[in-house]
Amino acid sequence: MDYKYLLDLALILLSTKLLGLVTRKFKMPQVVGALLAGIILGPACLGIIDNTNFIKALSEIGVIVLMFSAGMESDIHQLKKAGKASFIIAALGVVVPLVVGFAVAGVFNDPSVIQTDLDANRFLQNVFIGVILTATSVSITVETLKEMGKLNSQVGITILGAAVIDDILGIIALTIITSLADPSVAVGIVLLKIVGFFAFAVGVGFVTYILFKKWSDRHIDDHRRFVVMAFVICLLMSFCAEEWFGVADITGAFIAGLILSNTSHAKYMASRFETLSYTLLSPIFFASVGLSVVLTDMSMMIVVFALVLLGVAIITKIVGCGIGARLSGFNNRESLQIGCGMVSRGEVALIVANKGAAVGLMSPLLFGPVVIVVVVTTILSPILLKLSFGKKKKKDGGENGEPALSPPKPAGGTQEQ
């Protein structure tokens, strides 16, 4: 048996912590350091660690736990109030990148500019580039908001709600465009599955909440059982979302967290998951994003396309979501914060690109630009988010944000240094 994975984990945990502290010294979120650690250790730089299936699996569990914790720490009543605003923000955050991305692809995806050698309809290829830009990976934004103590602010709640809706709209867009290229995909069935998932989430969520509450009240003396059972619920909801309904597993995890957020033991369970997250799972997840960076040889024109696509990816999310926020009653500063919080594409864009490649809509030549967009937006998003909030005020109503890769303060005591 090869035990190198133990060394890999040790290097990831050490490097993410050290670089996290370095970036914190420069007033940047620590997740930026964790992302840089993955890039430095991975194939893009030193090549010490490969993004193995083991690391990928752990990182997937890491993002599931991260979104589950975010759900447990969210106020479901505030999410309901932000529902209309979140929908408007998500809708414009999908439409604007889709339209502008399609236009940019139309300029570059031409035989006289970039020859991709794909047989698929070029119009569909261009639309698909726009679909990739609609993706949003809110997991890193969640960690940054937690670090700043803004996760339960009005802006934080709205970003969470918009991200969930954005995920659904992105799935619909992806399904429609792939179905036009692949006759085996039925749009109607996929849309029906999405509706079915939310019906399933409401029904199962209500029953789960009642049963969990009754069970926990009978076993009040052993809180550790609550954490185990909560994790089971999280994993089952994640599995059902992805496997049965085609919805992202992190959406299922977030909804599982919401189901348990109103129980009397939510804060205790969230603190235990926070410990699991900062100790192992979060560093591995953030580092794995950097480890996935493998840039092939790119021509000058593809490099230019990558830079233009990157600019479009950043600007369209800020503008689209920002306009949606302004239409929903947020002021200019809050609208900018929401837009910055939706910039990161993360692993979601890579998943979308892979699905497009499977049906002949994504050329291997264009994977380099997509990877650049993913990495840079993932690193920039927490930086832009922190800059948009500016210097933290002392009157934050007790919202003390914890460092992204540092342990939470224990109840009733002082955090060890």
Side-chain angles (χ1 to χ4, degrees):
M1 183 175 179
D2 186 5
Y3 289 96
K4 185 178 179 294
Y5 73 93
L6 297 176
L7 176 62
D8 291 346
L9 292 181
L11 290 174
I12 288 173
L13 295 178
L14 179 62
S15 61
T16 52
K17 183 60 181 178
L18 290 178
L19 285 175
L21 292 174
V22 170
T23 53
R24 191 181 180 196
K25 291 289 185 182
F26 288 93
K27 309 297 183 183
M28 292 189 296
Q30 293 193 67
V31 292
V32 175
L35 293 166
L36 291 175
I39 294 174
I40 293 171
L41 293 175
C45 290
L46 300 179
I48 298 174
I49 299 176
D50 293 322
N51 201 13
T52 62
N53 290 333
F54 173 70
I55 291 177
K56 289 177 182 177
L58 274 184
S59 68
E60 187 66 21
I61 296 174
V63 72
I64 285 172
V65 169
L66 183 62
M67 294 306 295
F68 178 58
S69 299
M72 279 199 295
E73 294 175 20
S74 299
D75 188 331
I76 194 168
H77 301 293
Q78 290 294 329
L79 272 175
K80 288 179 181 178
K81 290 180 181 178
K84 181 180 178 182
S86 294
F87 181 81
I88 295 173
I89 292 166
L92 287 175
V94 166
V95 171
V96 174
L98 177 60
V99 172
V100 180
F102 167 75
V104 169
V107 174
F108 285 90
N109 189 22
D110 186 274
S112 62
V113 183
I114 298 176
Q115 180 62 47
T116 58
D117 296 325
L118 285 182
D119 296 329
N121 184 295
R122 198 166 293 275
F123 174 82
L124 294 181
Q125 294 178 43
N126 297 341
V127 173
F128 185 74
I129 295 294
V131 171
I132 292 175
L133 296 187
T134 65
T136 295
S137 178
V138 77
S139 50
I140 290 171
T141 296
V142 166
E143 193 70 20
T144 306
L145 289 170
K146 287 171 68 176
E147 179 179 340
M148 296 189 299
K150 300 292 184 181
L151 185 59
N152 277 322
S153 65
Q154 187 178 12
V155 168
I157 291 292
T158 303
I159 290 174
L160 277 174
V164 172
I165 297 171
D166 183 285
D167 178 53
I168 302 304
L169 295 178
I171 290 172
I172 294 173
L174 176 64
T175 302
I176 292 174
I177 191 64
T178 53
S179 66
L180 294 175
D182 184 1
S184 66
V185 178
V187 180
I189 293 177
V190 174
L191 296 180
L192 188 62
K193 282 185 175 182
I194 292 172
V195 174
F197 169 73
F198 284 100
F200 171 82
V202 171
V204 171
F206 179 76
V207 174
T208 301
Y209 172 78
I210 297 298
L211 293 177
F212 185 89
K213 191 173 184 302
K214 289 182 177 180
W215 175 79
S216 61
D217 289 342
R218 287 202 303 266
H219 299 83
I220 193 68
D221 295 331
D222 190 355
H223 287 184
R224 292 173 297 180
R225 297 180 183 180
F226 306 154
V227 180
V228 174
M229 189 55 65
F231 201 14
V232 170
I233 293 171
C234 165
L235 295 176
L236 287 176
M237 284 295 291
S238 300
F239 172 81
C240 292
E242 187 77 54
E243 190 71 17
W244 294 356
F245 300 99
V247 177
D249 51 8
I250 58 174
T251 301
F254 179 73
I255 291 177
L258 283 180
I259 292 170
L260 301 178
S261 64
N262 280 335
T263 63
S264 57
H265 311 289
K267 287 186 178 180
Y268 171 81
M269 292 186 295
S271 69
R272 300 284 78 80
F273 279 104
E274 183 73 16
T275 301
L276 172 65
S277 186
Y278 81 76
T279 303
L280 177 67
L281 298 178
S282 284
I284 292 174
F285 165 64
F286 296 127
S288 72
V289 177
L291 291 175
S292 65
V293 178
V294 181
L295 297 177
T296 56
D297 294 333
M298 296 189 297
S299 67
M300 180 57 67
M301 191 52 64
I302 293 181
V303 170
V304 172
F305 173 62
L307 294 176
V308 173
L309 197 67
L310 174 62
V312 168
I314 296 170
I315 294 171
T316 53
K317 276 293 183 182
I318 293 177
V319 171
C321 296
I323 291 174
R326 284 293 291 146
L327 292 175
S328 303
F330 289 92
N331 60 38
N332 290 334
R333 184 182 179 84
E334 292 169 336
S335 299
L336 178 62
Q337 292 165 354
I338 291 171
C340 291
M342 300 287 284
V343 164
S344 176
R345 299 315 197 273
E347 75 291 345
V348 179
L350 292 177
I351 292 171
V352 172
N354 282 323
K355 289 185 178 179
V359 294
L361 288 176
M362 186 73 188
S363 169
L365 289 174
L366 301 183
F367 258 96
V370 172
V371 170
I372 290 174
V373 168
V374 168
V375 173
V376 177
T377 57
T378 301
I379 292 175
L380 273 183
S381 183
I383 297 174
L384 293 174
L385 193 60
K386 192 161 187 177
L387 290 174
S388 67
F389 273 97
K391 191 174 182 180
K392 186 175 178 180
K393 297 178 181 178
K394 292 183 179 180
K395 56 177 184 178
D396 274 344
E399 292 186 50
N400 289 322
E402 295 297 333
L405 300 177
S406 299
K409 294 181 181 179
T414 304
Q415 180 177 329
E416 294 182 3
Q417 300 297 324

